[in-house]
Short mmCIF file of all heavy atoms in Angstrom, two decimals:
data_model
loop_
_atom_site.label_atom_id
_atom_site.label_comp_id
_atom_site.label_asym_id
_atom_site.label_seq_id
_atom_site.Cartn_x
_atom_site.Cartn_y
_atom_site.Cartn_z
N ASN A 1433 31.78 37.33 -1.03
CA ASN A 1433 31.51 38.65 -1.69
C ASN A 1433 30.40 39.38 -0.95
O ASN A 1433 29.60 38.73 -0.28
CB ASN A 1433 31.22 38.47 -3.18
CG ASN A 1433 29.76 38.07 -3.42
OD1 ASN A 1433 28.87 38.89 -3.23
ND2 ASN A 1433 29.52 36.85 -3.85
N ALA A 1434 30.47 40.65 -1.08
CA ALA A 1434 29.37 41.48 -0.45
C ALA A 1434 29.11 42.61 -1.37
O ALA A 1434 30.03 43.16 -2.00
CB ALA A 1434 29.84 41.98 0.95
N MET A 1435 27.85 42.96 -1.46
CA MET A 1435 27.46 44.16 -2.15
C MET A 1435 27.32 45.22 -0.98
O MET A 1435 26.63 44.93 -0.03
CB MET A 1435 26.16 44.03 -2.89
CG MET A 1435 25.71 45.26 -3.63
SD MET A 1435 24.41 44.87 -4.77
CE MET A 1435 23.03 44.78 -3.58
N VAL A 1436 28.08 46.26 -1.09
CA VAL A 1436 28.02 47.30 -0.01
C VAL A 1436 27.28 48.49 -0.62
O VAL A 1436 27.68 49.00 -1.67
CB VAL A 1436 29.44 47.68 0.44
CG1 VAL A 1436 29.29 48.60 1.65
CG2 VAL A 1436 30.23 46.41 0.82
N ALA A 1437 26.21 48.91 0.06
CA ALA A 1437 25.48 50.07 -0.32
C ALA A 1437 25.86 51.25 0.59
O ALA A 1437 25.81 51.12 1.82
CB ALA A 1437 24.01 49.79 -0.19
N TRP A 1438 26.25 52.35 -0.05
CA TRP A 1438 26.83 53.48 0.75
C TRP A 1438 25.88 54.70 0.64
O TRP A 1438 25.40 54.99 -0.45
CB TRP A 1438 28.15 53.89 0.18
CG TRP A 1438 29.19 52.77 0.14
CD1 TRP A 1438 29.30 51.80 -0.82
CD2 TRP A 1438 30.25 52.54 1.06
NE1 TRP A 1438 30.39 50.97 -0.53
CE2 TRP A 1438 31.00 51.43 0.62
CE3 TRP A 1438 30.71 53.23 2.23
CZ2 TRP A 1438 32.08 50.95 1.30
CZ3 TRP A 1438 31.78 52.77 2.87
CH2 TRP A 1438 32.51 51.62 2.44
N LYS A 1439 25.76 55.40 1.73
CA LYS A 1439 25.02 56.65 1.70
C LYS A 1439 26.01 57.79 1.45
O LYS A 1439 26.85 58.06 2.34
CB LYS A 1439 24.28 56.89 3.05
CG LYS A 1439 23.37 58.05 3.06
CD LYS A 1439 22.57 58.09 4.37
CE LYS A 1439 21.97 59.45 4.55
NZ LYS A 1439 21.24 59.54 5.83
N VAL A 1440 26.01 58.32 0.25
CA VAL A 1440 26.97 59.34 -0.14
C VAL A 1440 26.20 60.51 -0.78
O VAL A 1440 25.37 60.31 -1.68
CB VAL A 1440 27.95 58.74 -1.19
CG1 VAL A 1440 28.92 59.80 -1.68
CG2 VAL A 1440 28.69 57.55 -0.68
N PRO A 1441 26.43 61.72 -0.32
CA PRO A 1441 25.74 62.89 -0.91
C PRO A 1441 26.13 63.02 -2.41
O PRO A 1441 27.29 62.68 -2.77
CB PRO A 1441 26.24 64.08 -0.10
CG PRO A 1441 27.02 63.57 1.04
CD PRO A 1441 27.30 62.11 0.77
N GLY A 1442 25.19 63.49 -3.26
CA GLY A 1442 25.39 63.58 -4.70
C GLY A 1442 26.70 64.25 -5.08
O GLY A 1442 27.37 63.77 -5.97
N ILE A 1443 27.08 65.30 -4.40
CA ILE A 1443 28.25 66.05 -4.80
C ILE A 1443 29.53 65.21 -4.53
O ILE A 1443 30.61 65.53 -5.07
CB ILE A 1443 28.35 67.44 -4.14
CG1 ILE A 1443 28.11 67.41 -2.65
CG2 ILE A 1443 27.40 68.45 -4.83
CD1 ILE A 1443 28.66 68.60 -1.92
N ARG A 1444 29.44 64.24 -3.64
CA ARG A 1444 30.64 63.48 -3.35
C ARG A 1444 30.67 62.14 -4.10
O ARG A 1444 31.60 61.39 -3.96
CB ARG A 1444 30.67 63.16 -1.84
CG ARG A 1444 30.42 64.45 -0.99
CD ARG A 1444 31.51 64.73 0.01
NE ARG A 1444 32.64 63.87 0.08
CZ ARG A 1444 33.06 63.32 1.20
NH1 ARG A 1444 32.41 63.47 2.29
NH2 ARG A 1444 34.14 62.56 1.15
N ALA A 1445 29.66 61.92 -4.93
CA ALA A 1445 29.56 60.59 -5.62
C ALA A 1445 30.78 60.35 -6.51
O ALA A 1445 31.31 59.24 -6.48
CB ALA A 1445 28.25 60.53 -6.42
N LEU A 1446 31.19 61.31 -7.31
CA LEU A 1446 32.27 61.14 -8.23
C LEU A 1446 33.57 60.78 -7.52
O LEU A 1446 34.24 59.82 -7.94
CB LEU A 1446 32.42 62.38 -9.09
CG LEU A 1446 33.45 62.30 -10.25
CD1 LEU A 1446 32.97 61.20 -11.28
CD2 LEU A 1446 33.62 63.60 -10.96
N SER A 1447 33.87 61.50 -6.45
CA SER A 1447 35.17 61.24 -5.79
C SER A 1447 35.06 59.90 -5.07
O SER A 1447 36.01 59.15 -5.02
CB SER A 1447 35.51 62.40 -4.82
OG SER A 1447 34.92 62.18 -3.56
N PHE A 1448 33.89 59.58 -4.54
CA PHE A 1448 33.74 58.28 -3.96
C PHE A 1448 33.94 57.16 -5.00
O PHE A 1448 34.64 56.17 -4.75
CB PHE A 1448 32.29 58.09 -3.31
CG PHE A 1448 32.13 56.73 -2.71
CD1 PHE A 1448 32.26 56.56 -1.31
CD2 PHE A 1448 31.77 55.60 -3.46
CE1 PHE A 1448 32.10 55.30 -0.75
CE2 PHE A 1448 31.62 54.36 -2.86
CZ PHE A 1448 31.77 54.19 -1.52
N GLY A 1449 33.31 57.34 -6.15
CA GLY A 1449 33.44 56.32 -7.23
C GLY A 1449 34.84 56.08 -7.63
O GLY A 1449 35.27 54.96 -7.88
N LYS A 1450 35.62 57.19 -7.75
CA LYS A 1450 37.01 57.08 -8.16
C LYS A 1450 37.81 56.35 -7.10
O LYS A 1450 38.63 55.45 -7.44
CB LYS A 1450 37.62 58.48 -8.38
CG LYS A 1450 37.18 59.06 -9.73
CD LYS A 1450 37.88 60.34 -9.95
CE LYS A 1450 37.45 60.97 -11.29
NZ LYS A 1450 37.67 62.44 -11.35
N THR A 1451 37.62 56.68 -5.85
CA THR A 1451 38.37 56.06 -4.72
C THR A 1451 38.07 54.58 -4.66
O THR A 1451 38.93 53.73 -4.56
CB THR A 1451 38.08 56.79 -3.42
OG1 THR A 1451 38.34 58.15 -3.56
CG2 THR A 1451 38.95 56.17 -2.26
N ALA A 1452 36.74 54.24 -4.69
CA ALA A 1452 36.33 52.88 -4.56
C ALA A 1452 36.81 52.03 -5.74
O ALA A 1452 37.24 50.92 -5.56
CB ALA A 1452 34.78 52.77 -4.48
N SER A 1453 36.77 52.63 -6.95
CA SER A 1453 37.23 51.84 -8.19
C SER A 1453 38.64 51.50 -8.14
O SER A 1453 39.12 50.58 -8.76
CB SER A 1453 36.86 52.64 -9.44
OG SER A 1453 35.46 52.80 -9.56
N ALA A 1454 39.42 52.32 -7.43
CA ALA A 1454 40.86 52.12 -7.34
C ALA A 1454 41.24 50.94 -6.47
O ALA A 1454 42.34 50.39 -6.54
CB ALA A 1454 41.58 53.35 -6.85
N SER A 1455 40.30 50.43 -5.64
CA SER A 1455 40.60 49.33 -4.77
C SER A 1455 40.56 48.02 -5.54
O SER A 1455 39.62 47.71 -6.23
CB SER A 1455 39.56 49.25 -3.61
OG SER A 1455 39.63 47.98 -2.99
N PRO A 1456 41.60 47.22 -5.46
CA PRO A 1456 41.61 45.95 -6.22
C PRO A 1456 40.59 44.94 -5.79
O PRO A 1456 40.27 44.01 -6.48
CB PRO A 1456 43.07 45.37 -5.94
CG PRO A 1456 43.56 46.11 -4.77
CD PRO A 1456 42.88 47.44 -4.68
N ALA A 1457 40.04 45.13 -4.59
CA ALA A 1457 39.01 44.18 -4.09
C ALA A 1457 37.62 44.52 -4.64
O ALA A 1457 36.65 43.79 -4.45
CB ALA A 1457 39.02 44.17 -2.59
N VAL A 1458 37.51 45.69 -5.24
CA VAL A 1458 36.16 46.16 -5.76
C VAL A 1458 36.12 45.85 -7.26
O VAL A 1458 36.94 46.28 -8.05
CB VAL A 1458 35.99 47.69 -5.52
CG1 VAL A 1458 34.74 48.22 -6.22
CG2 VAL A 1458 35.95 47.97 -4.00
N SER A 1459 35.06 45.06 -7.67
CA SER A 1459 34.94 44.67 -9.02
C SER A 1459 34.01 45.60 -9.79
O SER A 1459 34.14 45.87 -11.00
CB SER A 1459 34.45 43.26 -9.20
OG SER A 1459 33.17 43.13 -8.69
N HIS A 1460 32.95 46.10 -9.14
CA HIS A 1460 32.00 47.01 -9.77
C HIS A 1460 31.66 48.14 -8.85
O HIS A 1460 31.63 47.95 -7.62
CB HIS A 1460 30.65 46.29 -10.07
CG HIS A 1460 30.77 45.12 -10.98
ND1 HIS A 1460 31.31 43.93 -10.58
CD2 HIS A 1460 30.40 44.96 -12.28
CE1 HIS A 1460 31.27 43.09 -11.58
NE2 HIS A 1460 30.73 43.67 -12.67
N CYS A 1461 31.38 49.29 -9.43
CA CYS A 1461 30.98 50.41 -8.62
C CYS A 1461 29.95 51.23 -9.42
O CYS A 1461 30.26 51.63 -10.55
CB CYS A 1461 32.12 51.29 -8.24
SG CYS A 1461 31.69 52.68 -7.20
N TYR A 1462 28.79 51.39 -8.91
CA TYR A 1462 27.69 52.13 -9.59
C TYR A 1462 27.02 53.15 -8.64
O TYR A 1462 26.94 52.94 -7.45
CB TYR A 1462 26.57 51.16 -9.96
CG TYR A 1462 26.86 50.11 -10.94
CD1 TYR A 1462 27.22 48.83 -10.61
CD2 TYR A 1462 26.75 50.44 -12.32
CE1 TYR A 1462 27.51 47.86 -11.59
CE2 TYR A 1462 27.04 49.46 -13.32
CZ TYR A 1462 27.37 48.20 -12.92
OH TYR A 1462 27.64 47.27 -13.87
N GLN A 1463 26.60 54.22 -9.26
CA GLN A 1463 25.71 55.15 -8.54
C GLN A 1463 24.31 54.80 -8.99
O GLN A 1463 24.04 54.65 -10.20
CB GLN A 1463 26.07 56.60 -8.87
CG GLN A 1463 25.20 57.58 -8.10
CD GLN A 1463 25.41 59.03 -8.56
OE1 GLN A 1463 26.03 59.26 -9.57
NE2 GLN A 1463 24.97 59.95 -7.73
N ARG A 1464 23.41 54.64 -8.06
CA ARG A 1464 22.01 54.26 -8.37
C ARG A 1464 20.99 55.22 -7.72
O ARG A 1464 21.40 55.93 -6.80
CB ARG A 1464 21.72 52.81 -7.96
CG ARG A 1464 22.56 51.79 -8.62
CD ARG A 1464 22.24 50.36 -8.21
NE ARG A 1464 22.95 49.35 -8.89
CZ ARG A 1464 22.63 48.88 -10.11
NH1 ARG A 1464 21.55 49.35 -10.74
NH2 ARG A 1464 23.38 47.99 -10.72
N LEU A 1465 19.79 55.17 -8.22
CA LEU A 1465 18.72 56.00 -7.65
C LEU A 1465 18.45 55.53 -6.21
O LEU A 1465 18.58 54.36 -5.89
CB LEU A 1465 17.44 55.90 -8.46
CG LEU A 1465 17.38 56.54 -9.85
CD1 LEU A 1465 15.98 56.44 -10.35
CD2 LEU A 1465 17.86 57.94 -9.87
N THR A 1466 18.10 56.48 -5.34
CA THR A 1466 17.65 56.14 -3.99
C THR A 1466 16.12 56.03 -3.92
O THR A 1466 15.46 56.47 -4.89
CB THR A 1466 18.09 57.21 -2.98
OG1 THR A 1466 17.56 58.43 -3.39
CG2 THR A 1466 19.62 57.31 -2.96
N ARG A 1467 15.61 55.47 -2.89
CA ARG A 1467 14.14 55.37 -2.70
C ARG A 1467 13.80 55.73 -1.28
O ARG A 1467 14.64 55.61 -0.40
CB ARG A 1467 13.70 53.96 -2.97
CG ARG A 1467 13.98 53.36 -4.33
CD ARG A 1467 13.14 54.03 -5.41
NE ARG A 1467 13.47 53.54 -6.78
CZ ARG A 1467 13.14 54.14 -7.86
NH1 ARG A 1467 12.47 55.30 -7.83
NH2 ARG A 1467 13.38 53.60 -9.02
#
Side-chain angles (χ1 to χ4, degrees):
Chain A
N1433 82 69
M1435 182 168 74
V1436 186
W1438 305 80
K1439 187 173 163 183
V1440 178
I1443 48 159
R1444 311 234 2 232
L1446 187 63
S1447 88
F1448 180 98
K1450 280 184 182 159
T1451 305
S1453 297
S1455 164
V1458 171
S1459 66
H1460 299 73
C1461 181
Y1462 292 97
Q1463 183 184 15
R1464 296 182 177 279
L1465 291 188
T1466 58
R1467 300 292 180 195

